[in-house]
Every structure is written in C-alpha cells, then in structure tokens.
Amino acid sequence: MSDSKVPEAEKPASATNAEVKIDAKATAKQKPPNPMWKYLGFGENFRPRVPSRNWMIFLSITGSFTAAIIYDKREKKRAQRKWCRLVEHIAKEPLGDSRTMPRKLTVFLEGPPTDGLRVAQDHFKEYVKPILVASGLDWEFIQGRREGEIRAELAEKIRNARLPFEESVEGRDPILSTRKNAGIKEFDGPRGDIVLGRHTWKEYIRGLHEGWLGPLTEPLKPQEENLEAAPTSEAETPVDSLIGNTIHTSTNTDPSKPDDASSTSTGSTPEEKPAEEKKEKPSHLPPFISTTDYASANLPSSFPTELDPSAAISFPHILGFLNTPTRLRRFLNRRHLADQIGRDTAAIILSTYRPYHTSSSTSSTSEDPEPEQTTLLQSEEKEWHKSVHVRSPTDLERTWLEPITLDPRIASRMRKAELTPAEEERARNIIVKEEEIEGWIKGGLRSLGRKGLKWWGGDKGKKPWEQGEVGEEDQ
C-alpha cells in the first residue's frame, strides 16, 4: 500500500542524525588554561579542580592529626616556657659566699619495668631538664638499670654520710680532702631530690629507711652465721687422734693403680669445678635491714630534724600493642604532662615545701588512712607489664612489688616540694608571647613580613626604590 509506513531500517541516515540532540556546552570550545601554571612547572594542560572524595577523606584525616600534633607541641613549649620564666631569676642571683659550695640537686633515674634506662633519660631531658637549665642550678644523677640499684646506692650514700670524714669515701678523695683542708664548706640548707616514676619512688623510700635505720656494715647472711657457729670436723678432731695416722699427699686411693693415673684424673676436675660451683647472680641486691625491724632500730645522732624536700615526678610508661589508643591519646596531650612536671620541678628549685600529710585525699574517708608518701603516683603500677609481678624463688625481697612501709620517725621529717599560693599566682600572670614558641616556618614568615613593612614604609617622601642609605648624597 502506498500509505504504509516506511520501516525503521529503510529510513535514511540523515533522518536519524537530525533527531540526535546536540549538547551546546560540549560543543563549546574550552578556554585555554592559564599560562601561569605552565611557568610554574605544572604543564600546559594543568587545570585546578576540587579533589575527589577519597582525596578529601585522606587530606582531612592527615590534616587533623598534623594540626593536633603541632598545637600540642606549641602549647607544650608555652607551658615549659612559663615555668622557666618563673625560676630564671635564680640564675641571675650572685653567689653568696665564695668559700661555700653552691646548691646541688639530686636526680634519681631508673629504667621503668621491662624497659631500659634510656627511656628514663629521655623523659628527664624532655620535661625536667629545660626547667633546671633555666634556673642555673647544678644537679647530680643517681641512676639504676635494674630493680634494687637505686635503693642500694642511696642507702650507701647515707651510710657514708654517717661516718666521720676521715673514714668516709670523701675523706679518701684527694680533691674533696683538699677542699676540706682549704676551709671550703658544703652548702648549708635544703637541697632537693627529684624522683622520676613510681618504681623509683618506692626504692627511694626504701633506701632512705635502710640508710638511716640500718647498720653501717653489711650484716652476716644466715649461711655465713651457720658456718661460723658450727666448726669443721677437722677442727673438732683432737690432735692426739692423729698420732700414728699416715697422711698421704697423693690422691690415689687404689694402690693397684699408679700415681700417674691419679694425677691425670685429678687434672680434669679443676675444669669441671667452675661449672659446678657457678652460682646464679642475684638479680636484686639484698638490703641491710628488713622492713619488720624498723621499730626496733635506733636513729643515729646525726639524723637531721628535716630531710631534704623531695618531688615525685610523673613518669607514665605503658607498653603493648593493645594499649596503642592510650599511648596515642597521651602523645597528643603532652602539654598537660609538661605543665604538671614543670610545676613540681619549679617547686623543688624554689625550695618551697611542706610536711607530707598523714593521710592522703583518697584515703581520708576510709577507716585506716594511708600516709601521703604511699599514694604518690600509685596509678602507674597498674600499667606495669604482667611479667614484673612474677616472683622468683631466689628473690628475698621485691621493692617494686612490696607495699611501701614507713617509719613514723622518718616519715614525719620528710618534706614535699610544693608551690605556695603566691608563686602560683605569679606563674598565672606570666604571659608567653607567640614569638617565643613559634616554629621556624612561622617565625621566618613573620620576620620576612616585618622586613617588608619596614622597607616599604620607610621615608614617605620618597618611593621605596628611590630610598638610599644615609650619607650617599655626600659621596
């Protein structure tokens, strides 16, 4: 039929192309990119665009973490700089007497449980040392790498101080003897002890009691006492019973064997004896006095009415993969730790102290109040590795695991370093400028901007490029 429709396949190609809609935006010519990007090295076809979704997520996470680190580092510097400003006037004070030794502090460092001494040294350098350097005071170290060394060294130092000068270690030192003969006196006044960590604090308390209440010489061990009390069998044998007995110098007990065989057999025994006689070296040095003997011990006549003030410095240290969130949270909040350590260090430097309370704030509501010395930094024990709590059969005493035992005579004379309300108010009024704590990037931009403003805003009568140095016209 003539009016029948033409099939789709038989339609001309021009008809199908005419029905396709043409996008005007796609056909429009794109503007060439800004030639600035070419000269900056980005290429001729570089076009800036908004980052994709994945890039936005990545940049948001990394940018937020970087900003948190930079902010914490800057505020940490601000806190440390505040406490440095509080004690820096001590470094400017002149020495009182040239015939008297200056004040010197004592710093107690010991490797934390299941870790080395280097960690404690880094903690001291990062938080405590900047305040000490600003004050200008000198300090000495008492360091230990394993449990018991701080206690033993502190106790030995106190026992040596109880002896007369001629019998002490200082009396045998030529430099100290010359200083003594020249009439140079030691510092007469409170010095100060800085103790880092709960584990070191426990040994500090134990060594303090051992040095003042223990004997001056090491007591005999139970095995040695038994050997001295029970004489040997040869000593008990009367001399008359030895008459008529033949004493053979040869070790050969079998007459059928020659002496050469016995000599060869005995030659191998000295090599085997050292292996048999080897004893395990004790991992902890034994103390001179037990905690149960504190009450029966007598205080020496040289015991001072007040002991040097002490400051227990916080040393948070936790290990383990599962504790990564806790370590990350502490890493981003180091400014609070720096502020607390700076306050305690400034108190020991300024020599402001008070007696320790007989009961801590946490135990004031309980029936048996605990002294303040026993509760300082107590929360750090929960973070020690579980291997520390394993006792060995050869260990007679574990200072880290035993509870702190105090003698009332020594505990009442201990002093805690603490700032007075006046010093706290003075520290709050200290304003640290941004220029003192900013990094080198921000500081460089600030100095560049100031130089530019100074160069541009010079003599207003002349243009910047017409300004010259003073005296050029005369030349």
Side-chain angles (χ1 to χ4, degrees), residues 109-112 115-126 143-145 196 315 317:
L109 287 179
E110 189 173 30
D115 214 329
L117 179 61
R118 183 61 180 270
V119 180
Q121 293 175 345
D122 293 342
H123 187 76
F124 167 79
K125 291 179 182 179
E126 186 175 1
Q143 304 185 64
R145 296 184 178 274
L196 272 74
F315 186 13
H317 183 72

Side-chain angles (χ1 to χ4, degrees), residues 252-277:
N252 185 11
T253 57
D254 191 356
S256 62
K257 295 182 180 180
D259 293 341
D260 297 340
S262 62
S263 61
T264 56
S265 62
T266 55
S268 60
T269 53
E271 298 178 359
E272 299 175 357
K273 281 184 178 180
E276 297 175 357
E277 295 179 357

Side-chain angles (χ1 to χ4, degrees), residues 103 105-109 128 132 191-198 200-201 204-205 307-315 340-354 356 373 376-377 414-419:
R103 182 187 175 197
L105 304 178
T106 306
V107 180
F108 295 86
L109 287 179
V128 182
L132 295 178
R191 301 189 180 186
D193 299 333
I194 300 176
V195 187
L196 272 74
R198 171 73 175 183
T200 314
W201 176 254
Y204 173 80
I205 297 293
L307 296 174
D308 290 338
S310 56
I313 303 299
S314 178
F315 186 13
Q340 179 61 36
I341 294 179
R343 178 182 288 101
D344 297 337
T345 308
I348 204 75
I349 291 173
L350 297 175
S351 189
T352 56
Y353 51 89
R354 60 165 177 82
Y356 279 94
Q373 294 96 318
L376 289 176
L377 309 178
M414 294 181 64
R415 298 294 180 263
K416 179 182 180 181
E418 188 177 50
L419 290 177

Side-chain angles (χ1 to χ4, degrees), residues 179-213:
R179 185 185 299 167
K180 181 77 173 179
N181 298 332
I184 299 178
K185 303 178 182 179
E186 294 293 333
F187 178 78
D188 186 14
R191 301 189 180 186
D193 299 333
I194 300 176
V195 187
L196 272 74
R198 171 73 175 183
H199 59 290
T200 314
W201 176 254
K202 277 190 163 185
E203 295 198 22
Y204 173 80
I205 297 293
R206 185 71 174 91
L208 205 63
H209 286 72
E210 180 186 346
W212 288 113
L213 299 177

